[in-house]
Amino acid sequence: MHDALQKEIALYEKRTAKSKEAHARAEKRIPLGVASNYRHYEPYPIFVKDGKGSRIHDIDGNEYIDHNLCFGALMAGHCHPAVVQAVTQKLNEGTTFGMPHEQEWELAEEICARYPVEMVRFGSSGTEVTMHAIRIARAATGRDKVIKFEGSYHGLHDTALVSVKPQAEEYGDPDAPNSVAGGGGIPKSAVANVVVASFNNLKSVENRFKQYPGEIAAIILEPILMNVGLCIPQAGFLEGLRDLCNKNGALLIFDEVKTGAKLAWGGASEYFGVKPDMICLAKSIGGGLPLGAFGASRAVMDLISQHKVFHGGTYNTNRVAMAAGLATFREVLTRENYTRVGLLSKRLTEGYRGIVAKSGLQAYVASAGVNGALMLYPHEIRNYRDWTAIDVDLWRQYWFAMVNRGVLAQPYWWDEQWTISVQHTDTDIEKHLS
């Protein structure tokens, strides 16, 4: 660890003594002292007291401009008035019934108006909806195998936890990467049905269809690879995937858990002009509450209606999450807000680029919609393997130094990106850049 990083970590520990105490206490009852592995980092994570608008406070009383925003789940920002009002009203009418209600149809209409789907079902998380989408794709095609991309993240079910962060010795051929279990407890049979390709490499996808003719049910991908900072699809890549699915009778699934709300009013389909067969949504569509959705054509979704695929969930469409979702679609994710936040994103991105050029830092800035990242590479990365060649200590110095100056520039981990909420201001962007 170089001296500059050590100094920033020492300052971090001085400013966050109560977080250190809270973490030590939590470790005795909670593995790693946190409720999700992604929230743990050394020396210990910040413990939050509250959040409002674009800012949060930790339990030591420090204020931060928040671009973490719950790993990008809060394009609405903290305590958006429209969301709070909608949720408060429904709390007084009952929270969950396990019975249908009018909000389900209302939110389904909002989603079908924006995204190229005809029918929708709901869940409570991104993990749930990608799991259900893959199951329906398998049922629709009568096939078991699914193509995913090396380094991509699609949740925590067995099919998704394959080749998320493989080690170099496990890679295999870049045109035919190995399928690597993402930890213990994942059956070999599950791994065997996940075929891995390389992002931005159509040849690797073609190879898989040739290798397993008539066996591949679907391709699932984030239209922008967001488990490696920000990796943009090269020209023709998404179109090429669409063509390969058409030729081989497979479904194209866009995992828009991150991109659906934050890329454009109509998500990646609008942004890139490519229509998938299925879309998975979560994170920012809930305005801060747990809400997910998956949709497709009527023909595909009718598999549920025909009782050929089972979908359920006790907390699906609970009144509070649905109220938050409706308020978010109608009052937060508006075309006007996309225009305004787009200007903030342009200002932050161009500001970063100016600083990178002036300082001579070996880096570039990637951005799309309300997401962006400082990418510490000499050239634009095209896939997961390119991403691994990062100076981790340099990134950690950037992150801790920004935190020590009151800016959560992004979630901790160098595979993440910043989010700009509708409640961020010009002043926030200027402070971030300063």
Side-chain angles (χ1 to χ4, degrees), residues 95-96 98 122-124 128 290-291 312-319 321-322:
T95 54
T96 192
F122 297 97
S124 299
E128 280 183 56
L291 178 64
T314 300
Y315 292 103
N316 290 358
T317 71
N318 72 84
R319 296 286 291 273
M322 296 298 276

Side-chain angles (χ1 to χ4, degrees), residues 11 16 26 45 48 63 73 77 96 112 147 209 236 238 241 253 258 277 281 320 366 381 388 398 404 417 430:
L11 179 56
T16 58
V48 180
E63 183 177 81
T96 192
C112 291
I147 293 176
F209 279 113
L238 296 179
L241 296 180
I253 304 171
K258 279 195 169 184
D277 297 295
L281 301 164
V320 182
I381 67 165
T388 60
Y398 157 69
N404 287 336
Q417 55 284 138
E430 291 308 313

Side-chain angles (χ1 to χ4, degrees), residues 177-200:
N178 293 329
S179 297
V180 181
I186 300 170
K188 291 185 177 67
S189 58
V191 177
N193 278 321
V194 181
V195 181
V196 180
S198 297
F199 198 75
N200 279 323

Side-chain angles (χ1 to χ4, degrees), residues 38-213:
Y38 296 111
R39 301 175 195 177
H40 178 266
Y41 52 88
E42 298 295 339
Y44 53 83
I46 294 168
F47 277 60
V48 180
K49 180 188 176 188
D50 57 39
K52 189 100 183 230
S54 62
R55 302 187 178 219
I56 62 169
H57 296 95
D58 66 19
I59 59 174
D60 285 274
N62 298 306
E63 183 177 81
Y64 306 90
I65 296 171
D66 185 14
H67 291 281
N68 173 335
L69 293 170
C70 192
F71 294 87
L74 280 170
M75 186 177 164
H78 299 282
C79 298
H80 191 287
V83 175
V84 171
Q85 182 181 357
V87 167
T88 303
Q89 180 186 339
K90 289 302 172 188
L91 278 172
N92 293 318
E93 296 176 9
T95 54
T96 192
F97 303 103
M99 297 169 71
H101 54 87
E102 281 287 286
Q103 288 173 299
E104 296 171 335
W105 172 83
E106 290 180 44
L107 190 52
E109 283 287 305
E110 293 286 342
I111 289 171
C112 291
R114 289 183 188 232
Y115 306 103
V117 297
E118 294 177 321
M119 299 187 85
V120 180
R121 271 284 182 102
F122 297 97
S124 299
S125 70
T127 288
E128 280 183 56
V129 296
T130 60
M131 177 181 71
H132 290 304
I134 288 169
R135 183 176 294 140
I136 288 177
R138 284 170 165 158
T141 58
R143 303 170 179 179
D144 290 341
K145 295 190 185 297
V146 172
I147 293 176
K148 79 175 287 282
F149 290 94
E150 191 173 60
S152 63
Y153 177 76
H154 302 293
L156 294 160
H157 50 92
D158 289 348
T159 298
L161 280 179
V162 177
S163 294
V164 178
K165 286 285 191 288
Q167 301 299 305
E169 61 271 17
E170 302 169 319
Y171 287 167
D173 186 338
D175 291 330
N178 293 329
S179 297
V180 181
I186 300 170
K188 291 185 177 67
S189 58
V191 177
N193 278 321
V194 181
V195 181
V196 180
S198 297
F199 198 75
N200 279 323
N201 181 342
L202 285 174
K203 180 183 177 184
S204 72
V205 183
E206 290 171 3
N207 287 347
R208 293 320 202 180
F209 279 113
K210 288 175 184 174
Q211 186 178 359
Y212 301 104

